[in-house]
mmCIF file of all heavy atoms in Angstrom:
data_model
loop_
_atom_site.group_PDB
_atom_site.id
_atom_site.type_symbol
_atom_site.label_atom_id
_atom_site.label_comp_id
_atom_site.label_asym_id
_atom_site.label_seq_id
_atom_site.Cartn_x
_atom_site.Cartn_y
_atom_site.Cartn_z
ATOM 1 N N ARG X 21 2.551 2.981 3.999
ATOM 2 C CA ARG X 21 3.946 2.733 4.361
ATOM 3 C C ARG X 21 4.786 3.961 4.053
ATOM 4 O O ARG X 21 4.625 4.570 2.997
ATOM 5 C CB ARG X 21 4.498 1.562 3.532
ATOM 6 C CG ARG X 21 3.835 0.226 3.797
ATOM 7 C CD ARG X 21 4.066 -0.753 2.649
ATOM 8 N NE ARG X 21 5.474 -0.959 2.360
ATOM 9 C CZ ARG X 21 6.225 -1.894 2.946
ATOM 10 N NH1 ARG X 21 5.690 -2.722 3.812
ATOM 11 N NH2 ARG X 21 7.496 -2.012 2.648
ATOM 12 N N PHE X 24 11.406 4.437 1.242
ATOM 13 C CA PHE X 24 12.086 5.175 0.180
ATOM 14 C C PHE X 24 11.281 5.122 -1.112
ATOM 15 O O PHE X 24 10.614 4.137 -1.403
ATOM 16 C CB PHE X 24 13.476 4.573 -0.060
ATOM 17 C CG PHE X 24 14.240 5.265 -1.162
ATOM 18 C CD1 PHE X 24 14.838 6.487 -0.921
ATOM 19 C CD2 PHE X 24 14.315 4.715 -2.425
ATOM 20 C CE1 PHE X 24 15.531 7.147 -1.935
ATOM 21 C CE2 PHE X 24 15.004 5.373 -3.452
ATOM 22 C CZ PHE X 24 15.611 6.587 -3.200
ATOM 23 N N GLU X 27 6.784 7.171 -1.757
ATOM 24 C CA GLU X 27 6.194 7.434 -0.447
ATOM 25 C C GLU X 27 6.928 8.568 0.265
ATOM 26 O O GLU X 27 6.314 9.519 0.758
ATOM 27 C CB GLU X 27 6.217 6.165 0.418
ATOM 28 C CG GLU X 27 5.288 5.056 -0.069
ATOM 29 C CD GLU X 27 5.903 4.171 -1.140
ATOM 30 O OE1 GLU X 27 6.998 4.506 -1.640
ATOM 31 O OE2 GLU X 27 5.286 3.141 -1.484
ATOM 32 N N ASP X 29 8.926 10.710 -1.160
ATOM 33 C CA ASP X 29 8.786 11.916 -1.991
ATOM 34 C C ASP X 29 7.479 12.636 -1.662
ATOM 35 O O ASP X 29 7.441 13.871 -1.588
ATOM 36 C CB ASP X 29 8.782 11.541 -3.483
ATOM 37 C CG ASP X 29 10.137 11.015 -3.955
ATOM 38 O OD1 ASP X 29 11.117 11.127 -3.194
ATOM 39 O OD2 ASP X 29 10.202 10.478 -5.071
ATOM 40 N N ARG X 32 7.820 14.525 1.590
ATOM 41 C CA ARG X 32 8.735 15.659 1.413
ATOM 42 C C ARG X 32 8.034 16.810 0.695
ATOM 43 O O ARG X 32 8.103 17.966 1.100
ATOM 44 C CB ARG X 32 9.950 15.189 0.609
ATOM 45 C CG ARG X 32 11.106 16.164 0.606
ATOM 46 C CD ARG X 32 12.279 15.636 -0.185
ATOM 47 N NE ARG X 32 12.816 14.416 0.357
ATOM 48 C CZ ARG X 32 12.824 13.223 -0.256
ATOM 49 N NH1 ARG X 32 12.309 13.100 -1.450
ATOM 50 N NH2 ARG X 32 13.347 12.164 0.303
ATOM 51 N N GLU X 33 7.297 16.480 -0.376
ATOM 52 C CA GLU X 33 6.600 17.511 -1.155
ATOM 53 C C GLU X 33 5.488 18.156 -0.332
ATOM 54 O O GLU X 33 5.289 19.372 -0.368
ATOM 55 C CB GLU X 33 6.028 16.893 -2.433
ATOM 56 C CG GLU X 33 7.107 16.593 -3.464
ATOM 57 C CD GLU X 33 6.623 15.673 -4.585
ATOM 58 O OE1 GLU X 33 5.414 15.356 -4.625
ATOM 59 O OE2 GLU X 33 7.473 15.262 -5.404
ATOM 60 N N ASP X 57 10.541 2.594 7.541
ATOM 61 C CA ASP X 57 11.907 2.065 7.556
ATOM 62 C C ASP X 57 12.892 3.215 7.738
ATOM 63 O O ASP X 57 12.491 4.365 7.964
ATOM 64 C CB ASP X 57 12.199 1.227 6.310
ATOM 65 C CG ASP X 57 12.234 2.051 5.030
ATOM 66 O OD1 ASP X 57 12.100 3.292 5.104
ATOM 67 O OD2 ASP X 57 12.404 1.457 3.956
ATOM 68 N N SER X 58 14.181 2.935 7.607
ATOM 69 C CA SER X 58 15.190 3.962 7.890
ATOM 70 C C SER X 58 15.109 5.131 6.905
ATOM 71 O O SER X 58 15.364 6.271 7.278
ATOM 72 C CB SER X 58 16.586 3.345 7.879
ATOM 73 O OG SER X 58 16.882 2.834 6.597
ATOM 74 N N SER X 59 14.740 4.851 5.672
ATOM 75 C CA SER X 59 14.584 5.946 4.710
ATOM 76 C C SER X 59 13.419 6.847 5.107
ATOM 77 O O SER X 59 13.499 8.069 4.996
ATOM 78 C CB SER X 59 14.326 5.390 3.310
ATOM 79 O OG SER X 59 15.476 4.788 2.813
ATOM 80 N N GLY X 62 14.547 9.082 7.808
ATOM 81 C CA GLY X 62 15.363 10.167 7.273
ATOM 82 C C GLY X 62 14.506 11.279 6.691
ATOM 83 O O GLY X 62 14.740 12.466 6.928
ATOM 84 N N ALA X 66 14.185 15.085 8.065
ATOM 85 C CA ALA X 66 14.511 16.197 7.164
ATOM 86 C C ALA X 66 13.332 17.171 7.087
ATOM 87 O O ALA X 66 13.515 18.390 7.122
ATOM 88 C CB ALA X 66 14.854 15.654 5.776
ATOM 89 N N SER X 69 13.083 19.122 10.284
ATOM 90 C CA SER X 69 14.144 20.124 10.340
ATOM 91 C C SER X 69 13.770 21.355 9.506
ATOM 92 O O SER X 69 13.998 22.496 9.906
ATOM 93 C CB SER X 69 15.421 19.472 9.831
ATOM 94 O OG SER X 69 16.423 20.399 9.665
ATOM 95 N N LYS X 89 8.255 1.233 17.471
ATOM 96 C CA LYS X 89 9.548 0.582 17.719
ATOM 97 C C LYS X 89 10.674 1.258 16.943
ATOM 98 O O LYS X 89 11.755 1.524 17.487
ATOM 99 C CB LYS X 89 9.475 -0.902 17.341
ATOM 100 C CG LYS X 89 10.749 -1.665 17.641
ATOM 101 C CD LYS X 89 10.521 -3.155 17.568
ATOM 102 C CE LYS X 89 11.736 -3.880 18.141
ATOM 103 N NZ LYS X 89 11.522 -5.313 18.262
ATOM 104 N N THR X 94 15.607 4.392 16.580
ATOM 105 C CA THR X 94 16.408 5.389 15.877
ATOM 106 C C THR X 94 16.603 6.665 16.702
ATOM 107 O O THR X 94 17.319 7.564 16.271
ATOM 108 C CB THR X 94 15.747 5.784 14.539
ATOM 109 O OG1 THR X 94 14.382 6.135 14.793
ATOM 110 C CG2 THR X 94 15.787 4.638 13.551
ATOM 111 N N ARG R 21 8.146 -6.089 -3.090
ATOM 112 C CA ARG R 21 6.964 -6.258 -2.221
ATOM 113 C C ARG R 21 6.431 -7.680 -2.269
ATOM 114 O O ARG R 21 5.988 -8.222 -1.266
ATOM 115 C CB ARG R 21 5.881 -5.256 -2.627
ATOM 116 C CG ARG R 21 6.367 -3.853 -2.328
ATOM 117 C CD ARG R 21 5.269 -2.897 -2.012
ATOM 118 N NE ARG R 21 5.899 -1.652 -1.578
ATOM 119 C CZ ARG R 21 5.499 -0.457 -1.886
ATOM 120 N NH1 ARG R 21 4.416 -0.313 -2.603
ATOM 121 N NH2 ARG R 21 6.130 0.602 -1.451
ATOM 122 N N ASP R 44 9.802 -7.570 13.338
ATOM 123 C CA ASP R 44 11.263 -7.387 13.353
ATOM 124 C C ASP R 44 11.887 -7.930 12.066
ATOM 125 O O ASP R 44 12.738 -7.291 11.449
ATOM 126 C CB ASP R 44 11.888 -8.126 14.554
ATOM 127 C CG ASP R 44 11.672 -7.381 15.865
ATOM 128 O OD1 ASP R 44 11.225 -6.213 15.813
ATOM 129 O OD2 ASP R 44 11.941 -7.965 16.928
ATOM 130 N N ASP R 50 13.139 -5.661 4.800
ATOM 131 C CA ASP R 50 12.881 -4.420 4.063
ATOM 132 C C ASP R 50 14.169 -3.606 3.923
ATOM 133 O O ASP R 50 14.499 -3.120 2.838
ATOM 134 C CB ASP R 50 11.808 -3.613 4.799
ATOM 135 C CG ASP R 50 11.589 -2.241 4.185
ATOM 136 O OD1 ASP R 50 12.342 -1.303 4.536
ATOM 137 O OD2 ASP R 50 10.678 -2.097 3.349
ATOM 138 N N GLU R 51 14.907 -3.476 5.036
ATOM 139 C CA GLU R 51 16.141 -2.685 5.010
ATOM 140 C C GLU R 51 17.202 -3.347 4.119
ATOM 141 O O GLU R 51 17.884 -2.680 3.351
ATOM 142 C CB GLU R 51 16.708 -2.519 6.432
ATOM 143 C CG GLU R 51 15.817 -1.720 7.374
ATOM 144 C CD GLU R 51 15.779 -0.222 7.054
ATOM 145 O OE1 GLU R 51 16.552 0.215 6.180
ATOM 146 O OE2 GLU R 51 14.970 0.486 7.665
ATOM 147 N N TYR R 58 18.853 -0.196 -3.909
ATOM 148 C CA TYR R 58 19.286 1.184 -4.163
ATOM 149 C C TYR R 58 20.807 1.353 -4.128
ATOM 150 O O TYR R 58 21.380 2.003 -4.991
ATOM 151 C CB TYR R 58 18.601 2.139 -3.186
ATOM 152 C CG TYR R 58 17.117 2.134 -3.392
ATOM 153 C CD1 TYR R 58 16.253 1.570 -2.452
ATOM 154 C CD2 TYR R 58 16.560 2.637 -4.573
ATOM 155 C CE1 TYR R 58 14.896 1.518 -2.667
ATOM 156 C CE2 TYR R 58 15.195 2.593 -4.795
ATOM 157 C CZ TYR R 58 14.365 2.035 -3.838
ATOM 158 O OH TYR R 58 13.021 1.990 -4.069
ATOM 159 N N ARG R 69 20.541 10.499 -1.716
ATOM 160 C CA ARG R 69 19.316 10.225 -0.963
ATOM 161 C C ARG R 69 19.089 11.255 0.139
ATOM 162 O O ARG R 69 17.984 11.434 0.616
ATOM 163 C CB ARG R 69 19.373 8.817 -0.360
ATOM 164 C CG ARG R 69 19.351 7.731 -1.412
ATOM 165 C CD ARG R 69 19.484 6.366 -0.817
ATOM 166 N NE ARG R 69 18.256 5.929 -0.181
ATOM 167 C CZ ARG R 69 18.115 4.748 0.413
ATOM 168 N NH1 ARG R 69 19.118 3.911 0.453
ATOM 169 N NH2 ARG R 69 16.984 4.397 0.971
ATOM 170 N N ASP R 73 15.275 16.850 -2.201
ATOM 171 C CA ASP R 73 14.396 16.807 -3.369
ATOM 172 C C ASP R 73 14.219 15.330 -3.762
ATOM 173 O O ASP R 73 14.616 14.442 -3.016
ATOM 174 C CB ASP R 73 14.971 17.633 -4.536
ATOM 175 C CG ASP R 73 16.385 17.184 -4.914
ATOM 176 O OD1 ASP R 73 16.723 16.004 -4.664
ATOM 177 O OD2 ASP R 73 17.146 17.996 -5.453
ATOM 178 N N ASN R 74 13.636 15.092 -4.914
ATOM 179 C CA ASN R 74 13.345 13.713 -5.302
ATOM 180 C C ASN R 74 14.407 13.135 -6.235
ATOM 181 O O ASN R 74 14.134 12.182 -6.969
ATOM 182 C CB ASN R 74 11.969 13.641 -5.979
ATOM 183 C CG ASN R 74 10.868 14.108 -5.044
ATOM 184 O OD1 ASN R 74 11.060 14.176 -3.831
ATOM 185 N ND2 ASN R 74 9.718 14.432 -5.601
ATOM 186 N N SER R 77 15.086 9.214 -6.018
ATOM 187 C CA SER R 77 14.051 8.321 -6.542
ATOM 188 C C SER R 77 13.880 8.498 -8.046
ATOM 189 O O SER R 77 13.545 7.544 -8.762
ATOM 190 C CB SER R 77 12.724 8.498 -5.798
ATOM 191 O OG SER R 77 12.329 9.823 -5.822
ATOM 192 N N ILE R 125 23.790 5.402 16.260
ATOM 193 C CA ILE R 125 22.964 6.445 15.645
ATOM 194 C C ILE R 125 23.251 7.779 16.325
ATOM 195 O O ILE R 125 23.250 7.868 17.551
ATOM 196 C CB ILE R 125 21.473 6.070 15.763
ATOM 197 C CG1 ILE R 125 21.176 4.887 14.844
ATOM 198 C CG2 ILE R 125 20.595 7.260 15.394
ATOM 199 C CD1 ILE R 125 19.776 4.332 14.975
ATOM 200 N N LEU R 127 22.109 11.281 17.296
ATOM 201 C CA LEU R 127 20.830 11.985 17.454
ATOM 202 C C LEU R 127 20.830 13.352 16.778
ATOM 203 O O LEU R 127 19.782 13.889 16.446
ATOM 204 C CB LEU R 127 20.492 12.157 18.941
ATOM 205 C CG LEU R 127 20.070 10.894 19.688
ATOM 206 C CD1 LEU R 127 19.723 11.227 21.122
ATOM 207 C CD2 LEU R 127 18.879 10.241 19.012
ATOM 208 N N LEU R 130 20.066 12.751 12.505
ATOM 209 C CA LEU R 130 19.079 11.722 12.167
ATOM 210 C C LEU R 130 18.614 11.780 10.721
ATOM 211 O O LEU R 130 17.927 10.884 10.256
ATOM 212 C CB LEU R 130 17.873 11.828 13.104
ATOM 213 C CG LEU R 130 18.077 11.255 14.506
ATOM 214 C CD1 LEU R 130 16.883 11.589 15.384
ATOM 215 C CD2 LEU R 130 18.273 9.761 14.459
ATOM 216 N N GLU R 131 18.988 12.864 10.007
ATOM 217 C CA GLU R 131 18.556 12.965 8.613
ATOM 218 C C GLU R 131 19.453 12.154 7.691
ATOM 219 O O GLU R 131 19.163 11.992 6.521
ATOM 220 C CB GLU R 131 18.586 14.426 8.156
ATOM 221 C CG GLU R 131 17.562 15.288 8.858
ATOM 222 C CD GLU R 131 17.801 16.754 8.549
ATOM 223 O OE1 GLU R 131 18.109 17.079 7.400
ATOM 224 O OE2 GLU R 131 17.706 17.566 9.476
ATOM 225 N N ARG R 136 22.110 3.720 8.740
ATOM 226 C CA ARG R 136 21.070 3.567 9.765
ATOM 227 C C ARG R 136 20.262 2.282 9.548
ATOM 228 O O ARG R 136 19.852 1.637 10.509
ATOM 229 C CB ARG R 136 20.155 4.794 9.748
ATOM 230 C CG ARG R 136 19.202 4.843 10.915
ATOM 231 C CD ARG R 136 18.394 6.124 10.906
ATOM 232 N NE ARG R 136 18.044 6.465 9.551
ATOM 233 C CZ ARG R 136 18.046 7.701 9.069
ATOM 234 N NH1 ARG R 136 18.363 8.709 9.833
ATOM 235 N NH2 ARG R 136 17.707 7.946 7.819
#
Side-chain angles (χ1 to χ4, degrees):
Chain X
R21 295 160 56 89
F24 179 77
E27 292 85 351
D29 292 350
R32 193 179 298 116
E33 286 166 6
D57 68 4
S58 63
S59 290
S69 171
K89 183 166 191 173
T94 51
Chain R
R21 294 209 173 140
D44 284 349
D50 174 275
E51 295 288 353
Y58 297 110
R69 293 177 75 179
D73 56 26
N74 300 343
S77 55
I125 290 174
L127 288 182
L130 283 172
E131 293 170 41
R136 190 176 38 220

